[in-house]
């Protein structure tokens, strides 16, 4: 499979300079490993030095780097090279026929009372339970489970092993045992949502768990019951969000973070990797972190031992300060 | 689907006051969002103020709040409103026919030498291997795997994607490579256990991994080989328990905690979210925590940098204290 | 099922002493719980005291413990008892016919353009997509997904729920939304790799994600796109490796660790449990840790509050030191 440079700019725009429309492109590749039949891109001006040595047939660049790029060979000039690159990968996938065909794979188990759009693709060994809804052009890869009454919007992608609508974790203690609280809500997922492999989104206890339009969730994420995730928020792998927490729009949550339950996180918040969010965040656009810095094990052991006495250390400093102040007082006498 | 208030108290007890037995209930809903056809409940007296403004048809309350509840309208008075609410959700699920029917779904793969109780429900695309046992009224939702010789008790619920009896992670190092230690034990799960989506419980190396009666595990939990979890212990999502650790009864382990291997945790221990348990806990009923506090990223950077020098900081304080003492000594001379 | 001691040494070597070749072994068991028909082993000389009281029929020991072992009864003497034990479990599994039969289970969905070795075993309800390759003697247990064009070497074991080749998490921001970067690479897995239940390995964005020979991954691990894991590296459960990170050979990564993206980790590095690796490690053979020490909750609260003021505390110590120095200066005058 290959595409001509001319086909690419016809489909995606941008201006092809210093190269021929007929040049065949076999692959999209990073600048450093691209060969003479490859299309590449330069997003970060910090890597402009790599441009000169790249063997790529053509490089996607921003206007500011047009001169440097032309000195090397063909380029496509466009205001946002990274977005252009993303669209090029989409064009590539379409051209190579990588998109799954619409329809329900014969091995999938779809309840007769589920509603699946004709343009949706339900992959092998998926399960869609009674009353569930799958929207237009949505793709369930292999082995996805969608529970009863859960609704998935249009143009979503659910990767293998995703579980939508398992019961939320709700129990009432009674006499030392746990009474199950049946989870009577469902999960509602908007349009253009992507959900990574083996990620779980639990149904709500009484009302629904909601994932708004454009949300992107990576693999092995846990979304507990009655959580709401705002539009276009992205969350990296292995993150956990506990029950009833509301996350605003356009947040970015790095991998393996944890957000405890019943919090409210303002829009455009950025949470660093492995950070545990234990209080609500009301100011939009903040950046929060809480990670124990890694160290050589021997150093860590010393520092960790001291950390367990940190409050005492503060008291000792306070005592020294007090003594110091007493001295000054007596000197002033 | 709806139920009359009279049906509810007939089934669950409690005393209906200030309302008519014939009132139809369409839904169970939280106090704040409940409408005039909804049953709600008040568990925490702190939220008693919400009572006055709730539009619920009827509210489940404790005797102490009977007066306030009646001032508003109908209520069901019961000593433990939360447990009553749990039972109401169960009644609801039964009435709506949400419980899965007994039997083995035709798409499930059940080995002829597995033993599945007639009242159990094996959902779509489950796998039950040779010699496995599934007890009375136990429900395997979709896409659950139960490995060879693993035994699951009565009235358990296993959510989609659960894996029971994958091999424990056991290897002997030899010449720079790893020799597999075949995992010859199994998994034994008691009665009334619930296991969340995509949770994994590994088989033991030589003896069995054991989950005792009434244990509740949330989603995406990892239970390693030869772990034993005591009766009625509950564990929230994304927690990991390493090999051979023994956890007592009635513990509560919050989400994303980690318990390293070969430890023993006393009964009724409470572990906070994201806490790493690195030593045994012998005293029952304790509450343990170890979480790096989240902060504004800029503050965190400063504090983390200092943390890496914490031991040195303690040495500096010690030196100041020593100098101080030396001073006092010389003053006393 | 049982084996005679003579069969065991014939198959695995070692010298049987103080016992009869005809003794029947019913089970392999730990020293403490072994009964009179069980084979056991002693790896760690620290537990030599357990030898005297063990009821095992025969104990695998190193030459140094031969005397102590013979004083008790039969033993097999071998230079590396733990490796011998591993081989004994393998012999056991073979003898008991625990190894899965070659072939494709009728419930598995294997694309006609996938290539599966005749000696491979594809378990129930697995999915092998177009262009995927599964090597000789490789075993896919139940419910494994192998995506398009992904390649798995020989003698690998993939446990239930494993997902190979889901899309990496790649999006370009544009106007507040996310543009999908189609993931055009694949996953390449070497020989003798074992992958635990529900673990996910994403396909590369443009090039491949690579797992080299002999790597062992536990359950619920997340390997992001374009990661490379070097030969014989082992990683315990719930660990996450972010995009494009390169991990050297013979590393051991404990459970629930996190390695952020675009790093390079030297060979033979050991990372402790729950440690967040935020910078590259260039020196081979190091041991790194970063874990908040667990404490009684009340102590933790005090220490955590102080930690949030740690930088200030350092400033206060510095001020005290400065004052001290000023004093000395004035005293010297």
């Amino acid at each position: 499979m290959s595409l001509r440079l001319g086909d690419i700019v016809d489909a995606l725009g941008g201006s092809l300079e210093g190269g021929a429309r007929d040049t065949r492109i076999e692959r999209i590749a990073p600048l450093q490993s691209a060969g003479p039949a490859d299309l590449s891109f330069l997003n970060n001006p910090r890597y402009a030095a790599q441009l000169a040595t790249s063997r790529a047939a053509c490089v996607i660049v921003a206007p500011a780097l047009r001169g440097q790029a032309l000195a090397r060979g063909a380029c496509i000039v466009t205001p946002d090279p990274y977005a252009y690159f993303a669209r090029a990968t989409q064009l590539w996938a379409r051209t190579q026929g990588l998109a799954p065909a619409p329809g329900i794979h014969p091995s999938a188990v779809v309840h007769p009372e589920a509603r699946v759009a004709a343009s949706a693709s339900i992959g092998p060994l998926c399960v869609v339970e009674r009353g569930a809804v799958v929207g237009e052009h949505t793709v369930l890869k292999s082995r996805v489970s969608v529970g009863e009454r859960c609704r998935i919007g249009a143009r979503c992608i659910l990767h293998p092993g995703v579980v939508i609508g398992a019961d939320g974790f709700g129990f009432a203690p009674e006499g030392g045992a746990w009474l199950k609280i049946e989870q009577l809500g469902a999960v509602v997922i908007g349009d253009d949502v992507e959900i990574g492999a083996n990620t779980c989104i639990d149904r709500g206890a009484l009302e629904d768990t909601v994932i708004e339009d454009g949300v992107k969730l990576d693999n092995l994420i846990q979304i507990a019951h009655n959580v709401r995730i705002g539009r276009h928020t992205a969350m990296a792998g292995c993150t956990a969000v506990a029950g009833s927490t509301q996350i605003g729009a356009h947040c970015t949550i790095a991998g393996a973070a944890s957000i405890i339950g019943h919090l409210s996180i303002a829009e455009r918040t950025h949470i660093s990797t492995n950070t545990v969010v234990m209080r609500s965040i009301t100011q939009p656009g903040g950046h929060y972190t809480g990670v124990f810095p890694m160290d050589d094990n021997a150093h860590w052991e010393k520092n960790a031992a001291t950390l367990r006495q940190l409050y005492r250390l503060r008291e000792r400093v306070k005592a020294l300060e007090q003594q110091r102040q007493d001295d000054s007082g007596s000197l002033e006498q």
Side-chain angles (χ1 to χ4, degrees), chain A residues 97 130 163:
Chain A
R130 184 170 56 169
V163 179

Side-chain angles (χ1 to χ4, degrees), chain A residues 55-332:
Chain A
R55 298 163 59 235
C58 177
V59 181
I60 306 163
V61 293
L65 288 163
R66 180 178 171 275
Q68 269 180 269
L70 276 173
R72 193 204 62 90
C75 63
I76 294 172
V77 182
T78 178
D80 185 344
Y82 198 49
Y84 196 101
F85 157 65
R87 290 213 165 79
T89 63
Q90 293 175 7
L91 175 65
W92 211 256
R94 279 198 302 277
T95 307
Q96 295 202 310
L98 294 181
I104 297 172
H105 192 277
S107 66
V109 178
V110 177
H111 195 279
E113 290 166 46
R115 225 166 65 222
V116 175
S119 59
S121 168
I122 309 295
L125 302 172
C126 288
V127 178
V128 182
E129 304 268 16
R130 184 170 56 169
V133 177
V134 178
E136 296 286 348
H137 300 286
T138 280
V139 176
L140 275 56
K141 303 279 178 107
S142 62
R143 300 198 301 100
V144 170
S145 285
V146 180
E148 297 200 353
R149 294 172 292 116
C150 294
R151 300 194 301 277
I152 301 172
R155 297 175 305 279
C156 294
I157 303 172
L158 276 64
H159 288 284
V162 163
V163 179
I164 304 297
D167 282 350
F169 197 62
F171 299 94
E174 192 190 49
W178 300 101
L179 269 178
K180 181 170 178 67
I181 298 169
E182 291 287 343
Q183 304 290 299
L184 303 173
V187 178
V188 177
I189 294 174
D191 298 332
D192 302 299
V193 170
E194 185 160 342
I195 303 178
N198 283 345
T199 281
C200 302
I201 305 179
D202 280 352
R203 65 175 62 244
L206 297 175
E207 299 178 313
D208 296 334
T209 303
V210 179
I211 311 295
E212 295 185 1
D213 294 347
V215 165
K216 309 296 178 187
L217 303 179
D218 197 356
N219 299 350
L220 289 167
I221 286 174
Q222 155 68 354
I223 306 293
H225 51 184
N226 299 104
V227 165
R228 173 181 284 264
I229 302 184
R231 307 175 69 223
H232 304 299
T233 280
M235 209 175 273
C238 301
T239 280
V241 184
S244 299
T245 280
Q246 315 282 303
I247 299 179
H250 303 288
C251 292
T252 49
I253 318 285
S258 265
I259 308 184
I260 73 162
H262 298 275
L263 300 185
S264 179
I265 308 296
E267 61 176 26
R268 288 180 291 112
T269 295
H270 179 61
I271 303 294
S272 299
T273 182
N274 281 272
T275 295
V276 185
V277 183
M278 295 181 84
R279 60 177 174 84
S280 287
I281 295 172
T282 53
Q283 200 71 11
H287 177 188
Y288 299 88
T289 309
V291 181
F292 200 105
M294 177 189 85
D295 208 339
D296 180 87
N297 184 66
H299 284 131
W300 170 79
E301 280 189 356
K302 281 182 174 181
N303 287 329
T306 310
L307 179 54
R308 293 195 56 188
Q309 307 292 334
L310 187 57
Y311 178 73
R312 284 261 313 120
L313 187 66
R314 197 184 74 152
E315 296 294 301
R316 285 160 65 185
V317 170
K318 212 160 153 185
L320 285 164
E321 287 168 337
Q322 189 57 52
Q323 289 165 358
R324 179 85 212 172
Q325 214 180 325
D326 294 350
D327 290 353
S328 309
S330 55
L331 286 174
E332 278 165 17

